[in-house]
Amino acid sequence: MVTDVSHPIPRLIHTVDELRAAVASERQLGKRIGLVPTMGALHDGHLSLVEISNQECDITIATIFVNPKQFSPNEDLDKYPRTIERDLKLLAHHRVSFVFAPTEDQIYPAGFSTFVDPPSVALPMEGKSRPHHFRGVATVVLKLFNLVQADVAYFGQKDYQQSLVIRRMVDDLALPITIRVCPIIREQDGMAMSSRNQYLSTEERGQAVAISRALNEARQLVEAGERDADTLRTTLRRVLEQAEISKIEYVCIVHPETLDELDQIGDAAIALIAVQIGKTRLIDNCLFK
Ligand code: AMP
């Protein structure tokens, strides 16, 4: 990733009042604002969103908030990596103007009880595996949109279903913001970058590369003319099983807009995988166009 060390360090903002004031003065100056929402523990995937925002907007505001409302009680909220000092250094090198890192009470003040009921694309896949996840995601993202008042918000295709939930919410509620979904950034061996990859032992990391390998095999089959979705599902499962990934949560071939399972690959399809390796849950996907 290219870095620009000449740019000033971003201003770190912890409170809603301070954020609103900072945003108001930028808007008065007519600046086009890009928003990159994250949970921190930043890697090149997050930074690619910042770079695209920098290209398309006058200023970029990154947010770092590990949102408790999108984790269920049995998930990794407490051990989710928090590396704020390192994150700030990385963002300083990537020309971010403001970093909004609120405490929990700034986002969810006492008495908070209003939630977004997410759209139907939230129901399958992640929605089945993590029943309250998208309710928490949609709620915090809508709140961040209201606070930051950005012109464009940047999300990764890595969390494909999440990006669809947000696009749908923006359309359904006529939110005045443009959503940009940006490509998946991968490690050299193909593994999708994720803050959760650091949980993996060396042996588990070796198994995990099978996820992108499986998607790659499926993509090659589609490029060679395969159109039968079950053949692709079988291929995906075979590669995962060969790597002895025992807990496959889902392997889906669906329409990219409706998330309906497909029999045949038409103009557009997407393969999505969720597995658990040891205690770590990993997701990845590949769009076929
Ligand atoms: P997170 O911090 O995991 O909530 O991710 C924040 C944003 O970064 C989301 O829009 C993710 O989809 C995106 N993101 C995470 N990993 C990647 C990746 N490997 N490539 C591109 N975007 C990513």
Side-chain angles (χ1 to χ4, degrees), residues 75-176:
E75 290 183 338
D76 57 344
L77 173 64
D78 290 339
K79 72 167 186 159
Y80 196 85
R82 287 158 173 92
T83 58
I84 184 84
E85 294 301 326
R86 183 177 171 276
D87 292 349
L88 289 174
K89 283 190 190 134
L90 287 169
L91 293 170
H93 288 303
H94 287 267
R95 296 193 295 122
V96 165
S97 301
F98 303 111
V99 178
F100 179 50
T103 46
E104 195 179 329
D105 63 329
Q106 289 292 306
I107 299 296
Y108 303 118
F112 183 96
S113 61
T114 305
F115 288 85
V116 176
D117 188 4
S120 57
V121 286
L123 292 175
M125 299 184 298
E126 291 298 289
K128 271 199 191 134
S129 296
R130 311 179 70 190
H132 302 292
H133 176 65
F134 286 127
R135 181 180 190 249
V137 170
T139 302
V140 80
V141 168
L142 179 59
K143 181 135 192 184
L144 291 173
F145 286 176
N146 284 334
L147 291 172
V148 177
Q149 308 256 308
D151 298 278
V152 190
Y154 295 83
F155 292 90
Q157 186 198 309
K158 160 76 171 37
D159 298 278
Y160 182 82
Q161 192 177 5
Q162 167 177 282
S163 72
L164 194 57
V165 166
I166 291 162
R167 282 204 282 128
R168 195 70 252 169
M169 174 178 79
V170 165
D171 281 355
D172 287 353
L173 302 181
L175 303 180

Side-chain angles (χ1 to χ4, degrees), residues 2-289:
V2 180
T3 57
D4 175 0
V5 287
S6 64
H7 202 268
I9 286 181
R11 185 167 142 208
L12 178 60
I13 296 177
H14 291 298
T15 67
V16 162
D17 288 347
E18 214 189 327
L19 177 71
R20 284 202 189 276
V23 166
S25 57
E26 296 296 332
R27 291 203 77 82
Q28 248 179 5
L29 295 169
K31 298 274 177 72
R32 182 175 166 81
I33 301 175
L35 166 66
V36 178
T38 82
M39 298 204 299
L42 302 182
H43 50 66
D44 279 354
H46 300 110
L47 297 172
S48 73
L49 306 182
V50 170
E51 285 298 315
I52 297 170
S53 170
N54 285 342
Q55 282 161 24
E56 298 179 352
C57 299
D58 299 315
I59 68 162
T60 297
I61 301 182
T63 66
I64 298 178
F65 181 59
V66 184
N67 175 30
K69 300 221 185 289
Q70 68 190 65
F71 288 76
S72 13
N74 60 337
E75 290 183 338
D76 57 344
L77 173 64
D78 290 339
K79 72 167 186 159
Y80 196 85
R82 287 158 173 92
T83 58
I84 184 84
E85 294 301 326
R86 183 177 171 276
D87 292 349
L88 289 174
K89 283 190 190 134
L90 287 169
L91 293 170
H93 288 303
H94 287 267
R95 296 193 295 122
V96 165
S97 301
F98 303 111
V99 178
F100 179 50
T103 46
E104 195 179 329
D105 63 329
Q106 289 292 306
I107 299 296
Y108 303 118
F112 183 96
S113 61
T114 305
F115 288 85
V116 176
D117 188 4
S120 57
V121 286
L123 292 175
M125 299 184 298
E126 291 298 289
K128 271 199 191 134
S129 296
R130 311 179 70 190
H132 302 292
H133 176 65
F134 286 127
R135 181 180 190 249
V137 170
T139 302
V140 80
V141 168
L142 179 59
K143 181 135 192 184
L144 291 173
F145 286 176
N146 284 334
L147 291 172
V148 177
Q149 308 256 308
D151 298 278
V152 190
Y154 295 83
F155 292 90
Q157 186 198 309
K158 160 76 171 37
D159 298 278
Y160 182 82
Q161 192 177 5
Q162 167 177 282
S163 72
L164 194 57
V165 166
I166 291 162
R167 282 204 282 128
R168 195 70 252 169
M169 174 178 79
V170 165
D171 281 355
D172 287 353
L173 302 181
L175 303 180
I177 191 165
T178 301
I179 303 301
R180 285 269 278 113
V181 182
C182 306
I184 303 174
I185 304 298
R186 298 181 176 280
E187 304 284 357
Q188 282 208 329
D189 64 3
M191 170 103 176
M193 287 190 181
S194 163
S195 307
R196 289 189 166 99
N197 290 355
Q198 56 189 275
Y199 297 153
L200 299 167
S201 68
T202 311
E203 193 191 334
E204 290 169 343
R205 178 66 181 77
Q207 288 179 291
V209 73
I211 303 166
S212 56
R213 201 181 322 123
L215 291 167
N216 221 14
E217 262 195 46
R219 185 178 51 76
Q220 282 168 359
L221 282 177
V222 173
E223 282 170 7
E226 182 59 64
R227 291 292 173 266
D228 182 58
D230 268 344
T231 305
L232 298 172
R233 289 183 189 101
T234 306
T235 300
L236 292 169
R237 279 190 182 274
R238 177 180 45 76
V239 178
L240 298 174
E241 281 160 8
Q242 275 168 357
E244 295 181 5
I245 294 179
S246 49
K247 182 138 193 233
I248 301 173
E249 278 189 24
Y250 60 77
V251 164
C252 295
I253 308 276
V254 298
H255 189 279
E257 292 299 318
T258 61
L259 301 187
D260 290 338
E261 290 282 356
L262 296 175
D263 295 330
Q264 292 287 310
I265 307 296
D267 287 346
I270 183 166
L272 300 110
I273 291 176
V275 302
Q276 213 173 307
I277 300 183
K279 290 192 168 141
T280 308
R281 190 170 184 280
L282 299 169
I283 58 171
D284 197 355
N285 65 78
C286 178
L287 261 171
F288 309 126
K289 284 213 170 128

